[in-house]
Amino acid sequence: MDWKSKFGSYALITGASGGLGKEFAIQIAQKGLNLILVARRADSLQKVANDIKNQYGVNVETIVSDLTSPKAIESLVTHIKKNNFDIGLLVNNAGFGSYGLFHELSIENELNMVDLNIRVPLELTGKILPGLIQKGKGGIIFLGSVGSYQPTPFFANYSATKAWNLLFAEALYGELKPKGIDVICLTPGYTRTEFQSTAGNKDQKPLAGWSLPEQVVKSALDNLGNEPSIIPGFMNWFLAWSIRFTPRKLAIWSAYHLLKS
């Protein structure tokens, strides 16, 4: 597939300074698309950009931004329009989680999580989507989690935000497929990134084992246009879909005992 013909010349990736965002940037650059990378950490972001430019020869623009700050999305979109960047692929990757009993967690941090995990992809998609519809082509990737499929004690708010991403992405898949726009929600299990340490759960030993960022991102890009959502790894898929046949109470208590440290 010629990715430039299908999606346009630029991909916009949020949360691109590390983890899955960095891996999305690498693999999309390998396909020949130019990149606009957005993150808060300036030094890490610039290093990712320099490495990709040197290795793949694509144009890489960096924008240092806290996307939860007032008018951050508006400023980002204004910059894109001012420079006539042809955005054809949007990767809504930015997000974070927290681990612990909800009543013991910072409510300010939890509200910020809702902002970054839900409002930011909603607003950014709403701003970018009209241009894709006008061209009749493009793609949007959302980041969910295996936690999207069930209530998850100790990750209560995080799994709820990721359930939103899954349902929103799958609904857009139905709305936009007839218009030539591909949408997918990537719902990985435990992946070797900074996420666990940031969430405060770095010692977790996942039942389905660890996934590698390279494999997780490849599964999303390989299935973009074919599936509304993808769960990388057979055991992750099995555990997520087994919830359909598990009584809700049993699913909750199973997750509680697996995640309790």
Side-chain angles (χ1 to χ4, degrees):
M1 179 175 69
D2 184 340
W3 279 63
K4 273 197 172 182
S5 297
K6 185 169 179 58
F7 295 111
S9 59
Y10 273 88
L12 172 60
I13 305 171
T14 64
S17 60
L20 292 179
K22 174 183 175 181
E23 188 59 36
F24 268 113
I26 291 170
Q27 293 194 28
I28 291 171
Q30 288 172 348
K31 298 179 184 301
L33 270 67
N34 301 311
L35 306 174
I36 299 175
L37 306 182
V38 185
R40 291 185 306 165
R41 298 180 298 176
D43 292 345
S44 300
L45 187 64
Q46 194 58 54
K47 185 179 186 309
V48 171
N50 291 340
D51 290 346
I52 289 175
K53 281 190 284 190
N54 292 336
Q55 189 162 0
Y56 302 109
V58 298
N59 184 38
V60 184
E61 299 283 332
T62 60
I63 298 175
V64 178
S65 175
D66 176 358
L67 293 175
T68 63
S69 62
K71 298 189 177 179
I73 301 297
E74 183 180 333
S75 176
L76 172 60
V77 172
T78 298
H79 178 76
I80 289 169
K81 290 180 178 178
K82 182 179 177 180
N83 290 276
N84 294 314
F85 292 127
D86 177 26
I87 303 296
L89 181 60
L90 169 61
V91 183
N92 286 306
N93 171 76
F96 72 95
S98 62
Y99 173 84
L101 294 167
F102 178 73
H103 69 277
E104 295 179 351
L105 297 172
S106 161
I107 190 62
E108 290 78 14
N109 193 59
E110 297 302 297
L111 288 169
N112 194 44
M113 187 196 305
V114 171
D115 219 24
L116 185 58
N117 292 10
I118 295 179
R119 185 190 61 78
V120 167
L122 176 66
E123 184 178 357
L124 191 52
T125 298
K127 298 285 189 180
I128 296 295
L129 186 53
L132 304 185
I133 292 175
Q134 187 175 20
K135 292 183 293 187
K137 64 178 183 180
I140 307 173
I141 299 173
F142 291 86
L143 258 293
S145 163
V146 290
S148 303
Y149 296 91
Q150 72 166 78
T152 311
F154 306 106
F155 283 107
N157 188 32
Y158 173 75
S159 63
T161 66
K162 291 305 179 179
W164 179 90
N165 276 266
L166 174 63
L167 295 178
F168 186 62
E170 290 187 332
L172 288 187
Y173 172 91
E175 291 182 12
L176 299 176
K177 189 69 173 174
K179 300 182 182 298
I181 298 164
D182 299 327
V183 180
I184 193 170
C185 187
L186 171 62
T187 56
Y190 283 85
T191 306
R192 292 286 185 190
T193 67
E194 300 169 333
F195 173 84
Q196 300 304 326
S197 58
T198 302
N201 187 226
K202 62 182 179 181
D203 297 324
Q204 182 68 32
K205 296 177 176 61
L207 188 63
W210 290 95
S211 300
L212 296 176
E214 298 86 347
Q215 299 166 339
V216 169
V217 168
K218 186 176 186 301
S219 69
L221 298 180
D222 286 350
N223 286 279
L224 180 61
N226 299 320
E227 301 291 341
S229 57
I230 182 70
I231 306 171
F234 173 77
M235 278 302 296
N236 288 323
W237 175 87
F238 176 78
L239 291 171
W241 284 104
S242 67
I243 299 302
R244 292 178 126 192
F245 309 103
T246 304
R248 301 293 285 174
K249 189 174 181 180
L250 177 59
I252 293 167
W253 284 115
S254 296
Y256 176 89
H257 290 293
L258 280 171
L259 292 170
K260 185 179 179 182
S261 61

mmCIF file of all heavy atoms in Angstrom, residues 55-74:
data_model
loop_
_atom_site.group_PDB
_atom_site.id
_atom_site.type_symbol
_atom_site.label_atom_id
_atom_site.label_comp_id
_atom_site.label_asym_id
_atom_site.label_seq_id
_atom_site.Cartn_x
_atom_site.Cartn_y
_atom_site.Cartn_z
ATOM 1 N N GLN A 55 17.509 8.821 10.115
ATOM 2 C CA GLN A 55 17.419 7.441 9.652
ATOM 3 C C GLN A 55 16.508 7.273 8.441
ATOM 4 O O GLN A 55 16.779 6.452 7.569
ATOM 5 C CB GLN A 55 16.924 6.544 10.788
ATOM 6 C CG GLN A 55 17.003 5.057 10.458
ATOM 7 C CD GLN A 55 16.938 4.178 11.690
ATOM 8 O OE1 GLN A 55 16.840 4.665 12.813
ATOM 9 N NE2 GLN A 55 16.998 2.875 11.494
ATOM 10 N N TYR A 56 15.428 8.054 8.372
ATOM 11 C CA TYR A 56 14.420 7.803 7.332
ATOM 12 C C TYR A 56 14.263 8.945 6.337
ATOM 13 O O TYR A 56 13.549 8.800 5.337
ATOM 14 C CB TYR A 56 13.066 7.476 7.981
ATOM 15 C CG TYR A 56 13.149 6.283 8.900
ATOM 16 C CD1 TYR A 56 13.060 6.443 10.284
ATOM 17 C CD2 TYR A 56 13.365 5.004 8.400
ATOM 18 C CE1 TYR A 56 13.165 5.358 11.135
ATOM 19 C CE2 TYR A 56 13.462 3.910 9.250
ATOM 20 C CZ TYR A 56 13.372 4.092 10.614
ATOM 21 O OH TYR A 56 13.479 3.006 11.459
ATOM 22 N N GLY A 57 14.869 10.085 6.593
ATOM 23 C CA GLY A 57 14.859 11.167 5.624
ATOM 24 C C GLY A 57 13.527 11.846 5.415
ATOM 25 O O GLY A 57 13.314 12.495 4.389
ATOM 26 N N VAL A 58 12.615 11.718 6.374
ATOM 27 C CA VAL A 58 11.326 12.395 6.252
ATOM 28 C C VAL A 58 11.389 13.713 7.011
ATOM 29 O O VAL A 58 12.261 13.926 7.852
ATOM 30 C CB VAL A 58 10.174 11.517 6.801
ATOM 31 C CG1 VAL A 58 10.064 10.232 6.006
ATOM 32 C CG2 VAL A 58 10.372 11.221 8.290
ATOM 33 N N ASN A 59 10.447 14.606 6.715
ATOM 34 C CA ASN A 59 10.365 15.860 7.457
ATOM 35 C C ASN A 59 9.667 15.607 8.786
ATOM 36 O O ASN A 59 8.618 14.950 8.832
ATOM 37 C CB ASN A 59 9.592 16.901 6.649
ATOM 38 C CG ASN A 59 9.572 18.248 7.348
ATOM 39 O OD1 ASN A 59 10.552 18.659 7.949
ATOM 40 N ND2 ASN A 59 8.430 18.926 7.280
ATOM 41 N N VAL A 60 10.236 16.106 9.867
ATOM 42 C CA VAL A 60 9.649 15.916 11.191
ATOM 43 C C VAL A 60 9.528 17.269 11.886
ATOM 44 O O VAL A 60 10.529 17.932 12.155
ATOM 45 C CB VAL A 60 10.492 14.960 12.060
ATOM 46 C CG1 VAL A 60 9.786 14.723 13.398
ATOM 47 C CG2 VAL A 60 10.734 13.633 11.348
ATOM 48 N N GLU A 61 8.310 17.685 12.154
ATOM 49 C CA GLU A 61 8.033 18.903 12.900
ATOM 50 C C GLU A 61 7.726 18.530 14.345
ATOM 51 O O GLU A 61 7.052 17.533 14.608
ATOM 52 C CB GLU A 61 6.825 19.627 12.306
ATOM 53 C CG GLU A 61 6.995 20.060 10.863
ATOM 54 C CD GLU A 61 7.862 21.307 10.730
ATOM 55 O OE1 GLU A 61 7.882 22.104 11.700
ATOM 56 O OE2 GLU A 61 8.502 21.466 9.690
ATOM 57 N N THR A 62 8.235 19.307 15.284
ATOM 58 C CA THR A 62 7.946 19.050 16.693
ATOM 59 C C THR A 62 7.187 20.221 17.294
ATOM 60 O O THR A 62 7.464 21.380 16.990
ATOM 61 C CB THR A 62 9.231 18.819 17.503
ATOM 62 O OG1 THR A 62 10.078 19.968 17.418
ATOM 63 C CG2 THR A 62 9.984 17.600 16.984
ATOM 64 N N ILE A 63 6.227 19.894 18.138
ATOM 65 C CA ILE A 63 5.454 20.909 18.849
ATOM 66 C C ILE A 63 5.424 20.512 20.321
ATOM 67 O O ILE A 63 4.878 19.456 20.676
ATOM 68 C CB ILE A 63 4.020 21.022 18.303
ATOM 69 C CG1 ILE A 63 4.048 21.443 16.832
ATOM 70 C CG2 ILE A 63 3.211 22.020 19.130
ATOM 71 C CD1 ILE A 63 2.686 21.463 16.162
ATOM 72 N N VAL A 64 6.043 21.331 21.154
ATOM 73 C CA VAL A 64 6.052 21.079 22.595
ATOM 74 C C VAL A 64 4.790 21.696 23.185
ATOM 75 O O VAL A 64 4.578 22.905 23.091
ATOM 76 C CB VAL A 64 7.315 21.675 23.257
ATOM 77 C CG1 VAL A 64 7.274 21.451 24.763
ATOM 78 C CG2 VAL A 64 8.568 21.062 22.642
ATOM 79 N N SER A 65 3.958 20.854 23.764
ATOM 80 C CA SER A 65 2.668 21.355 24.253
ATOM 81 C C SER A 65 2.097 20.433 25.318
ATOM 82 O O SER A 65 2.186 19.207 25.202
ATOM 83 C CB SER A 65 1.670 21.465 23.094
ATOM 84 O OG SER A 65 0.385 21.842 23.546
ATOM 85 N N ASP A 66 1.505 21.027 26.342
ATOM 86 C CA ASP A 66 0.658 20.294 27.280
ATOM 87 C C ASP A 66 -0.754 20.396 26.730
ATOM 88 O O ASP A 66 -1.402 21.438 26.824
ATOM 89 C CB ASP A 66 0.753 20.917 28.674
ATOM 90 C CG ASP A 66 -0.187 20.239 29.675
ATOM 91 O OD1 ASP A 66 -0.930 19.319 29.268
ATOM 92 O OD2 ASP A 66 -0.174 20.634 30.848
ATOM 93 N N LEU A 67 -1.226 19.320 26.140
ATOM 94 C CA LEU A 67 -2.490 19.360 25.423
ATOM 95 C C LEU A 67 -3.703 19.579 26.316
ATOM 96 O O LEU A 67 -4.794 19.864 25.814
ATOM 97 C CB LEU A 67 -2.666 18.068 24.613
ATOM 98 C CG LEU A 67 -1.684 17.897 23.456
ATOM 99 C CD1 LEU A 67 -1.858 16.530 22.803
ATOM 100 C CD2 LEU A 67 -1.858 19.000 22.421
ATOM 101 N N THR A 68 -3.519 19.451 27.626
ATOM 102 C CA THR A 68 -4.636 19.700 28.531
ATOM 103 C C THR A 68 -4.757 21.168 28.919
ATOM 104 O O THR A 68 -5.728 21.559 29.566
ATOM 105 C CB THR A 68 -4.500 18.867 29.827
ATOM 106 O OG1 THR A 68 -3.316 19.268 30.527
ATOM 107 C CG2 THR A 68 -4.427 17.381 29.500
ATOM 108 N N SER A 69 -3.786 21.979 28.535
ATOM 109 C CA SER A 69 -3.853 23.395 28.885
ATOM 110 C C SER A 69 -4.893 24.115 28.014
ATOM 111 O O SER A 69 -5.202 23.666 26.904
ATOM 112 C CB SER A 69 -2.483 24.055 28.711
ATOM 113 O OG SER A 69 -2.062 23.994 27.361
ATOM 114 N N PRO A 70 -5.457 25.211 28.509
ATOM 115 C CA PRO A 70 -6.493 25.925 27.751
ATOM 116 C C PRO A 70 -6.008 26.347 26.364
ATOM 117 O O PRO A 70 -4.896 26.835 26.213
ATOM 118 C CB PRO A 70 -6.784 27.152 28.630
ATOM 119 C CG PRO A 70 -6.384 26.727 30.008
ATOM 120 C CD PRO A 70 -5.206 25.822 29.827
ATOM 121 N N LYS A 71 -6.829 26.088 25.368
ATOM 122 C CA LYS A 71 -6.588 26.484 23.980
ATOM 123 C C LYS A 71 -5.371 25.796 23.344
ATOM 124 O O LYS A 71 -4.906 26.227 22.285
ATOM 125 C CB LYS A 71 -6.444 28.006 23.863
ATOM 126 C CG LYS A 71 -7.709 28.752 24.283
ATOM 127 C CD LYS A 71 -7.628 30.228 23.969
ATOM 128 C CE LYS A 71 -8.936 30.930 24.321
ATOM 129 N NZ LYS A 71 -8.883 32.379 24.037
ATOM 130 N N ALA A 72 -4.852 24.723 23.970
ATOM 131 C CA ALA A 72 -3.704 24.018 23.390
ATOM 132 C C ALA A 72 -4.067 23.393 22.048
ATOM 133 O O ALA A 72 -3.291 23.465 21.088
ATOM 134 C CB ALA A 72 -3.202 22.944 24.350
ATOM 135 N N ILE A 73 -5.237 22.775 21.963
ATOM 136 C CA ILE A 73 -5.658 22.139 20.702
ATOM 137 C C ILE A 73 -5.889 23.208 19.636
ATOM 138 O O ILE A 73 -5.482 23.051 18.480
ATOM 139 C CB ILE A 73 -6.936 21.306 20.908
ATOM 140 C CG1 ILE A 73 -6.709 20.216 21.956
ATOM 141 C CG2 ILE A 73 -7.380 20.701 19.586
ATOM 142 C CD1 ILE A 73 -5.673 19.192 21.597
ATOM 143 N N GLU A 74 -6.528 24.292 20.037
ATOM 144 C CA GLU A 74 -6.778 25.392 19.092
ATOM 145 C C GLU A 74 -5.469 25.932 18.538
ATOM 146 O O GLU A 74 -5.337 26.183 17.331
ATOM 147 C CB GLU A 74 -7.554 26.495 19.804
ATOM 148 C CG GLU A 74 -7.933 27.664 18.907
ATOM 149 C CD GLU A 74 -8.704 28.732 19.657
ATOM 150 O OE1 GLU A 74 -9.376 28.405 20.652
ATOM 151 O OE2 GLU A 74 -8.619 29.901 19.238
#
